[in-house]
């Protein structure tokens, strides 16, 4: 039966409309009710903090913001200001929160307790709850202060990696322990500190670091110390040559041991050549082995002859010394550190058979200087002659007075005597050796060999040939010549109480060498002055002048070459001593 208009079924749109309207009405009712409760909650709470509210155990319930802030300041938990324990690598320390920019913002914390973001649920909840409420403190963070605190920790705790090593000092093996390098990660450390505040326990906060391990482990340093370094200097080593014995002290050994690290291991090396040159070894070794003795030469009828024959010696080479010492360095005990050292027989350069072969056949030149007798001159000139006598100068070699004679000290056999210093006679070490220097200069001059370095006295001394004399000073002026004769030269020197003679033996390059002196020019009168001090020596006056001396080389009686030596002498002032 067909339905009437009033009986038709509602359309879907028509069926939903009553339900939506009902839901909207219900929602509006709830919203109005919640709004009323929210307003009621606000009116109930007012500006006060609800009862039972605590911040880190501090009761601020029922207080105004200002009261709460004052209470929190007065009763702040210790953790808010307590130093934060931290650990940087293996080092424990503490950080003061305030200095690191970590604090509690009391005002904002009181605001949060009074009005935690005006959250409706919290406000409405106050109408139906009388329980306690815990508020988290609001933390303040000063990034600049935190970075500064972290930088201070880095300055105290960062360290570079240190490699382990062993060195020898004053006869002892000294170890340097390896150290792991570490560097504080500043960025992560700042975040870690911020997250750790306020400290909640005694366990330290571990700050992040990066580490660098040394290439050489501590175990290798210990191994090397035990197996080599400490035994090496545990006592002297003793070398024997026949019945002779040479003891080398631990300090001397250590001076010539070097340690290096390679492929994770330590190894040592002995510098045998340096050890052989060390005076503490060279001097006793020379007496233990005996250097060869050269033949002593003389002159007969202008020819070089042997006055006394030389004899072989025994030498210890650097290789033999090293081969003997190295095995002893890992041993301990006197007996175990004793061993023979191999010696090599060395022949003298000069013998009766070698003279002709070497070309030392004749007297090339000879010169004598006379001097006033004085004890200091006898000692100093005699000692210089002793050191120069027997010098052999090979072709092309440069001979040096200072190198041959050495420094004029008491230890070297010299005494104080009169010498020229700062333009006047004074007392000084080695005074008088200028007589020897002048004699050598003239022997060199007439032998025709090449001068390399020389210098005349500042003023003229009458007993020496003008323009053909020389002086020496340790460290500033030397007398040197080069042997350009093509054959070895033997220097023979001898002295008496009042004269010194030097002869050059070899092979003449020219038939003769003559000296031709020019006139004295640019004459200058001396002054008069007084000297002071214990070293002052009275001095007679003498004019200054310039002079030139020609060295004339002749072959077959004819001149083949000429060289000019120019000398300037200052006036020798008259000096009287107070």
């Amino acid at each position: 039966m067909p339905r009437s208009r009033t009986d038709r079924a509602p359309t879907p749109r028509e069926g939903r409309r009553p339900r939506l309207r009902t839901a909207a009405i219900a929602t509006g009712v709830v919203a109005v009710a919640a709004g009323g409760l929210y307003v009621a909650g606000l009116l109930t709470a007012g500006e006060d903090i609800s009862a039972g509210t605590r911040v880190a155990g501090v009761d601020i319930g029922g207080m105004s913001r200002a009261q709460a802030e004052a209470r929190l300041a007065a009763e702040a938990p210790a953790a808010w200001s307590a130093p934060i324990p931290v650990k940087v690598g293996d080092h424990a320390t503490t950080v003061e929160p305030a200095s690191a920019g970590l604090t509690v913002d009391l005002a904002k914390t009181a605001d949060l307790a009074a009005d935690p973001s005006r959250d409706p649920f919290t406000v409405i909840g106050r109408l139906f709850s009388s329980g306690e409420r815990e508020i988290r403190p609001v933390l303040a963070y000063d990034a600049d202060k935190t970075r500064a605190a972290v930088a201070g920790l880095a300055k105290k705790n960062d360290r570079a990696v240190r490699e382990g090593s062993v060195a020898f000092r004053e006869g002892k093996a000294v170890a340097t322990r390896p150290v792991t390098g570490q560097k504080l990660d500043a960025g992560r450390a700042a975040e870690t500190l911020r997250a750790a505040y306020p400290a909640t326990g005694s366990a330290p906060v571990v700050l992040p670091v990066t580490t660098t391990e040394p290439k050489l482990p501590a175990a290798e340093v210990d191994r090397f110390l035990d197996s080599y370094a400490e035994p090496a200097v545990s006592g002297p080593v003793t070398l024997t040559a026949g019945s002779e014995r040479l003891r080398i002290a631990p300090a001397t050994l250590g001076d010539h041991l070097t340690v290096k690290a390679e492929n994770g291991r330590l190894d040592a090396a002995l510098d045998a050549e340096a050890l052989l040159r060390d005076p503490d070894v060279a001097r006793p070794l020379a007496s233990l082995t005996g250097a060869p003795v050269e033949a002593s030469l003389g002159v007969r009828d202008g020819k070089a002859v042997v006055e006394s024959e030389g004899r072989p010696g025994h030498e210890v080479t650097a290789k033999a010394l090293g081969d003997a010492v190295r095995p002893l360095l890992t041993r301990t005990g006197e007996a175990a550190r004793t061993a023979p050292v191999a010696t090599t027989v060395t022949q003298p350069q000069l013998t009766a058979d070698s003279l002709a072969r070497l070309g030392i056949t004749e007297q090339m030149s000879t010169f004598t200087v006379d001097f006033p007798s004085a004890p200091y001159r006898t000692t100093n000139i005699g000692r210089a002659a002793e050191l120069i006598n027997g010098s052999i100068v090979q072709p092309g070699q440069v001979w040096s007075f200072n190198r041959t004679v050495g420094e004029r000290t008491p230890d070297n056999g010299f005494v104080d005597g009169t010498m020229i210093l700062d333009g006047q006679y004074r007392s000084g070490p080695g005074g008088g050796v200028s007589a020897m220097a002048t004699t050598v200069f003239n022997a060199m001059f007439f032998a025709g060999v090449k001068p390399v370095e020389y210098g005349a006295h500042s003023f003229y001394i009458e007993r020496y040939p003008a323009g053909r004399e020389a002086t020496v000073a340790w460290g500033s002026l030397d007398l040197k010549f080069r042997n350009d004769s093509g054959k070895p030269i033997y220097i023979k020197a001898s002295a008496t109480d009042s004269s010194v003679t030097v002869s050059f033996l070899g092979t003449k390059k020219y038939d003769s060498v003559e000296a031709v002196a020019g006139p004295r020019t640019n004459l200058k009168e001396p002054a008069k002055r007084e000297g002071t001090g214990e070293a002052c020596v009275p001095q007679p006056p003498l004019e200054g002048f310039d002079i030139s001396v020609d060295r004339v080389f002749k072959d077959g009686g004819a001149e083949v070459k000429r060289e000019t030596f120019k000398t300037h002498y200052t006036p020798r002032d008259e000096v009287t001593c107070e």
Side-chain angles (χ1 to χ4, degrees):
M1 180 173 167
R3 293 180 179 177
S4 65
R5 182 177 297 273
T6 58
D7 293 334
R8 68 181 176 83
T11 66
R13 181 185 300 275
E14 291 171 340
R16 288 197 299 272
R17 189 176 293 124
R19 289 195 294 272
L20 289 172
R21 186 179 297 113
T22 302
I25 292 170
T27 300
V29 171
V30 172
V32 170
L37 291 173
Y38 178 70
V39 172
L42 289 175
L43 293 173
T44 300
E47 293 299 319
D48 294 337
I49 297 169
S50 61
T53 300
R54 293 178 177 274
V55 177
V58 179
D59 187 359
I60 58 173
M63 297 182 180
S64 67
R65 286 177 171 82
Q67 290 171 330
E69 185 177 347
R71 172 68 65 83
L72 289 174
E75 300 181 15
W80 291 3
S81 59
I84 304 173
V86 298
K87 193 171 185 180
V88 183
D90 53 3
H91 180 246
T93 186
T94 58
V95 172
E96 294 293 333
S99 64
L102 303 172
T103 56
V104 173
D105 190 323
L106 300 180
K108 288 184 178 180
T109 301
D111 285 345
L112 179 63
D115 181 9
S117 302
R118 293 291 184 178
D119 177 47
F121 295 101
T122 303
V123 173
I124 295 170
R126 293 175 179 174
L127 297 173
F128 304 101
S129 175
S130 59
E132 295 185 349
R133 185 166 60 100
E134 184 70 28
I135 298 296
R136 293 173 62 89
V138 177
L139 304 181
Y141 173 61
D142 187 324
D144 290 339
K145 287 187 176 181
T146 306
R147 282 193 293 270
V150 169
L153 289 171
K155 184 176 181 180
K156 292 180 179 178
N157 294 280
D158 283 3
R159 62 174 179 260
V161 64
R162 185 177 71 196
E163 296 296 337
S165 64
V166 175
F168 295 95
R169 300 191 187 102
E170 298 179 356
K172 301 291 183 183
V174 180
T176 298
R177 311 304 302 182
V179 175
T180 300
Q182 72 176 23
K183 183 175 179 60
L184 184 63
D185 187 329
R188 291 172 56 205
E191 291 302 321
T192 302
L193 272 179
R194 184 178 182 183
Y197 177 73
T200 57
S202 59
V205 178
V206 178
L207 299 183
V209 297
T210 56
T211 59
T212 305
E213 294 297 327
K215 298 176 183 177
L216 199 69
E220 174 58 17
V221 175
D222 293 334
R223 179 203 68 79
F224 182 75
L225 275 175
D226 294 340
S227 64
Y228 185 91
E230 290 180 343
V233 289
S234 61
V237 299
T238 302
L239 303 181
T240 61
S243 60
E244 302 294 331
R245 298 168 70 86
L246 167 65
R247 287 166 62 88
I248 304 177
T252 303
L253 293 169
D255 287 345
H256 304 290
L257 288 170
T258 56
V259 181
K260 64 178 180 179
E262 190 172 359
N263 299 324
R265 285 180 62 86
L266 289 173
D267 287 306
L270 173 69
D271 188 340
E273 292 186 355
L275 181 63
L276 184 63
R277 293 192 302 268
D278 192 303
D280 290 336
V281 175
R283 283 194 293 262
L285 193 60
S287 62
L288 180 147
T289 54
V293 177
E294 300 292 340
S296 176
L297 304 186
V299 179
R300 186 180 303 132
D301 298 329
K303 301 298 183 183
V305 296
V306 173
E307 293 181 332
S308 62
E309 188 60 272
R311 62 176 182 272
H314 292 81
E315 178 187 15
V316 172
T317 64
K319 181 180 184 305
L321 181 64
D323 290 345
V325 171
R326 288 187 186 96
L328 306 181
L329 296 177
T330 55
R331 305 175 189 172
T332 58
E334 183 177 356
R337 292 171 69 85
T338 301
V341 60
T343 60
T344 302
V345 176
T346 53
Q347 299 294 337
Q349 296 181 68
L350 290 181
T351 63
D353 295 333
S354 69
L355 281 186
R357 174 170 47 83
L358 290 173
I360 302 177
T361 59
E362 60 185 333
Q363 179 173 283
M364 302 172 70
S365 65
T366 187
F367 198 81
T368 298
V369 167
D370 297 319
F371 52 82
S373 180
Y376 77 87
R377 289 194 181 100
T378 300
T379 298
N380 292 339
I381 295 173
R383 176 58 176 157
E386 178 185 352
L387 293 168
I388 292 173
N389 185 52
S391 295
I392 300 174
V393 190
Q394 297 294 338
Q397 183 181 356
V398 173
W399 182 89
S400 160
F401 186 101
N402 282 341
R403 184 174 62 241
T404 303
V405 175
E407 189 172 2
R408 273 69 82 184
T409 63
D411 287 343
N412 196 21
F414 292 89
V415 297
D416 284 356
T418 302
M419 59 191 302
I420 299 175
L421 185 64
D422 297 329
Q424 73 177 70
Y425 287 129
R426 288 188 177 274
S427 179
V433 294
S434 64
M436 173 57 75
T438 293
T439 310
V440 172
F441 179 87
N442 279 274
M444 177 263 316
F445 183 98
F446 291 108
V449 292
K450 182 177 181 61
V452 173
E453 180 182 347
Y454 65 94
H457 290 84
S458 57
F459 56 71
Y460 178 55
I461 300 174
E462 295 92 319
R463 62 178 171 272
Y464 300 146
R468 282 195 354 254
E469 48 90 13
T471 186
V472 288
W474 181 258
S476 60
L477 179 61
D478 202 354
L479 171 61
K480 296 179 180 179
F481 70 86
R482 184 185 304 279
N483 178 10
D484 60 350
S485 70
K487 301 290 184 179
I489 291 176
Y490 177 91
I491 302 177
K492 185 175 180 62
S494 61
T496 68
D497 289 346
S498 59
S499 69
V500 56
T501 300
V502 173
S503 302
F504 279 25
L505 310 184
T507 297
K508 291 181 178 180
K509 192 173 181 180
Y510 302 94
D511 288 347
S512 66
V513 177
E514 299 175 0
V516 178
R520 299 182 182 187
T521 61
N522 297 324
L523 302 181
K524 186 174 182 181
E525 293 301 316
K528 183 176 181 179
R529 53 195 171 96
E530 290 185 353
T532 60
E534 294 182 359
C536 178
V537 175
Q539 179 172 290
L542 185 69
E543 64 186 7
F545 59 91
D546 293 343
I547 190 169
S548 294
V549 177
D550 287 348
R551 180 162 68 160
V552 181
F553 301 83
K554 292 183 176 181
D555 273 335
E559 179 180 329
V560 295
K561 187 170 67 170
R562 180 181 291 252
E563 295 174 344
T564 301
F565 293 72
K566 296 181 178 181
T567 305
H568 169 73
Y569 292 110
T570 62
R572 187 175 69 200
D573 294 340
E574 181 179 1
V575 176
T576 57
C577 298
E578 293 182 357

